[in-house]
């Protein structure tokens, strides 16, 4: 039992010694730094990307405002046209009413003419 | 006052051997290990502003390296068509490239590459990084019992192989 325990201890000691960190390959750090530097290029172009999207967003907002204004103007014109038509109908009804009143007055003043056979 | 770039370069130079060694000993191949180590440092470059202390950086590097190397092993297994790991014969494993700085390291690494990946990962963290099983469990997101089991089984397998070859090699 003690012998086996010693074997494990020996093995663990060998593992600690044998598994010391290996040096990284020659030029590894330089390659990583170069890769990081090359990856910065798209990052630098990010503002242009955002400006592009800002422009697109502004265009969409302006288009939305123009469409809303056009729709509002069209509805206003329709409302004005509707009010005019309504006023004309009311005027026509008043004229008809006054004409009928005049005919009724005439009939009331000369009732006998129509009553005669 | 150091800039972010200087801080990253300093961290890279300090920890490159650690990250490369973990990746190499999990993957058993220098090219793949360098690729994983490079990916880890590129990710570190993005994450470094969020890491508060040196201890935090070391823990982050260990965890991400283990996960990336394990993913690379899975991808390699998927490409090879084998879903399960088969124990290779130690004599069939070539001497790791680039050569280890010492004969003991070379021998230990050859033995290590005969272990299943999970046992290998735990043993690397335990003996290369000198971590306690509790810390390994936290960093790998494994139950402590699983880590202990991998350690015991890995050591048992290594002891069996070492009994046959290691002592003669060291003493011889």
């Amino acid at each position: 039992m003690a012998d086996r325990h010693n074997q494990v201890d020996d093995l663990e000691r060998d593992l600690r010694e044998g598994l010391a960190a290996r040096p990284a390959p020659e030029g590894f750090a330089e390659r990583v730094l170069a890769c990081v530097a090359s990856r910065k290029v798209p990052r630098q172009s990010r503002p242009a990307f955002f400006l592009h999207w800002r422009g697109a967003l502004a265009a969409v907002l302006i288009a939305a405002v123009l469409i809303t204004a056009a729709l509002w103007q069209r509805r206003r014109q329709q409302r004005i046209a509707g009010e005019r038509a309504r006023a004309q109908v009311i005027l026509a009804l008043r004229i008809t009413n006054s004409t009928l009143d005049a005919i009724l007055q005439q009939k009331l003043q000369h009732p006998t003419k129509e009553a005669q056979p | 006052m150091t800039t972010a770039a200087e801080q990253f370069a300093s961290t890279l130079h300090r920890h490159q051997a650690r990250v490369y060694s973990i990746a190499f000993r999990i993957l058993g191949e220098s090219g793949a290990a360098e690729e994983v180590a490079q990916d880890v440092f590129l990710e570190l470059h993005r994450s470094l502003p969020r890491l508060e202390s040196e201890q935090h950086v070391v823990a982050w590097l260990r965890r991400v390296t283990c996960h990336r190397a394990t993913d690379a092993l899975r991808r390699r297994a998927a490409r090879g068509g084998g879903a399960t790991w088969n124990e290779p014969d130690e004599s069939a494993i070539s001497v790791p490239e680039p050569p280890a700085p010492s004969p003991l390291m070379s021998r230990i690494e050859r033995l290590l590459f005969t272990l299943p990946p999970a046992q290998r990962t735990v043993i690397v963290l335990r003996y290369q990084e000198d971590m306690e099983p509790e810390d390994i469990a936290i960093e790998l997101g494994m139950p402590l019992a699983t880590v202990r089991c991998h350690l015991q089984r890995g050591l048992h397998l290594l002891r069996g192989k070492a009994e046959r070859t290691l002592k003669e090699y060291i003493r011889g």
Side-chain angles (χ1 to χ4, degrees):
Chain A
M1 185 72 185
D3 188 38
R4 188 170 231 197
H5 188 71
N6 286 339
Q7 278 178 4
V8 172
D9 286 348
D10 285 348
L11 179 66
E12 289 195 286
R13 196 193 57 235
D14 289 344
L15 281 168
R16 282 205 171 85
E17 280 179 38
L19 291 182
R22 261 175 173 263
E26 192 80 17
F28 172 77
E30 288 69 28
R31 283 195 290 280
V32 172
L33 290 172
C35 200
V36 166
S38 70
R39 282 192 172 196
K40 274 187 179 170
V41 174
R43 281 192 176 181
Q44 282 170 349
S45 67
R46 277 175 75 184
F49 174 78
F50 279 117
L51 277 177
H52 176 74
W53 275 102
R54 274 189 196 170
L57 187 66
V60 167
L61 284 174
I62 289 168
V65 167
L66 289 175
I67 289 168
T68 309
L71 286 172
W72 181 81
Q73 179 68 13
R74 196 179 159 202
R75 278 194 175 184
R76 187 169 163 270
Q77 283 172 349
Q78 281 176 343
R79 187 168 48 80
I80 289 168
E83 280 173 2
R84 262 188 210 152
R86 183 169 161 263
Q88 281 176 350
V89 167
I90 289 169
L91 181 64
L93 286 172
R94 275 184 190 156
I95 291 167
T96 310
N97 189 37
S98 60
T99 309
L100 286 172
D101 276 351
I103 293 168
L104 188 63
Q105 287 297 325
Q106 275 184 346
K107 281 190 176 178
L108 287 172
Q109 283 170 5
H110 309 285
T112 50
K113 280 185 185 176
E114 278 189 8
Q116 286 175 358
Chain B
M1 186 85 179
T2 56
T3 63
E6 285 169 349
Q7 193 192 354
F8 174 72
S10 158
T11 309
L12 168 64
H13 283 103
R14 252 191 338 273
H15 298 296
Q16 58 177 342
R18 174 199 301 277
V19 170
Y20 173 75
S21 299
I22 295 174
F24 178 78
R25 285 165 182 161
I26 292 174
L27 290 162
E29 195 196 317
S30 176
E34 188 175 340
E35 206 174 303
V36 164
Q38 189 164 320
D39 282 353
V40 170
F41 280 110
L42 290 178
E43 201 173 324
L44 177 72
H45 182 254
R46 288 190 292 271
S47 306
L48 198 56
R50 293 199 305 271
L51 302 174
E52 290 156 5
S53 64
E54 181 69 7
Q55 204 179 355
H56 198 175
V57 169
V58 171
W60 187 96
L61 284 171
R62 283 177 185 145
R63 187 176 62 251
V64 174
T65 309
C66 287
H67 288 157
R68 288 289 177 102
T70 307
D71 288 347
L73 272 181
R74 284 197 194 114
R75 282 197 300 274
R76 190 196 289 171
R79 276 199 304 270
T84 55
W85 181 86
N86 297 312
E87 183 182 348
D89 181 9
E90 197 218 334
S91 59
I93 292 175
S94 58
V95 176
E97 286 291 340
S102 72
L104 176 66
M105 186 184 285
S106 174
R107 196 78 188 124
I108 289 283
E109 283 178 346
R110 280 184 70 173
L111 284 173
L112 194 68
F113 297 148
T114 65
L115 295 182
Q119 293 176 14
R120 213 185 305 162
T121 305
V122 169
I123 284 181
V124 167
L125 291 179
R126 177 80 180 97
Y127 296 103
Q128 180 192 307
E129 295 297 306
D130 204 20
M131 289 171 71
E132 294 299 323
E134 290 79 4
D135 299 330
I136 297 173
I138 291 167
E139 292 216 350
L140 295 181
M142 272 182 193
L144 179 57
T146 309
V147 170
R148 287 204 166 119
C149 181
H150 284 321
L151 259 179
Q152 280 173 1
R153 286 186 183 172
L155 285 175
H156 178 77
L157 280 171
L158 283 179
R159 192 168 61 236
K161 293 168 196 291
E163 275 175 3
R164 288 196 300 274
T165 57
L166 190 60
K167 283 186 176 178
E168 291 81 355
Y169 189 88
I170 294 166
R171 286 171 188 164

